[in-house]
Amino acid sequence: MARVVVDVMLKPEILDPQGKAVHGALPRLGFEGVTGVRQGKRFELELDGELTSARLAEVHEIAEKLLSNPVIEDFEVHVEEHEGSPA
């Protein structure tokens, strides 16, 4: 079994109101030195069987067609190591 993570973020040119709200709240809470905040989404997909290049390509397709809006969002796909697996 493999775990594949898809991180989805708004493209840099797209306004991120939630990120701006968090950024504005940080100084009021006593946190200084943060110059920007962007909000995103994280999806963890558990896949049966061996993770092949074909399966990874399928995850990219899932991310492009379902998990993200390619007009306003970018995504990254990466394989997450299992706990207890050798590093």
Side-chain angles (χ1 to χ4, degrees):
M1 183 177 300
R3 175 179 289 170
V4 179
V5 175
V6 179
D7 291 313
V8 180
M9 296 292 294
L10 287 170
K11 290 183 177 185
E13 62 272 15
I14 302 297
L15 179 65
D16 181 359
Q18 187 171 355
K20 286 210 177 290
V22 170
H23 184 249
L26 291 173
R28 293 191 300 272
L29 295 172
F31 298 103
E32 301 295 334
V34 177
T35 59
V37 176
R38 301 285 291 172
Q39 175 265 332
K41 301 178 278 189
R42 173 184 167 109
F43 297 92
E44 296 179 358
L45 286 73
E46 298 283 342
L47 305 177
D48 286 333
E50 185 179 346
L51 184 60
T52 62
S53 59
R55 293 293 305 273
L56 203 50
E58 187 176 67
V59 171
H60 276 267
E61 187 175 356
I62 291 168
E64 185 174 19
K65 291 184 176 182
L66 179 64
L67 304 180
S68 71
N69 176 346
V71 173
I72 62 169
E73 295 174 317
D74 292 324
F75 65 88
E76 291 183 8
V77 176
H78 58 92
V79 179
E80 189 171 86
E81 296 294 325
H82 284 298
E83 294 178 15
S85 64

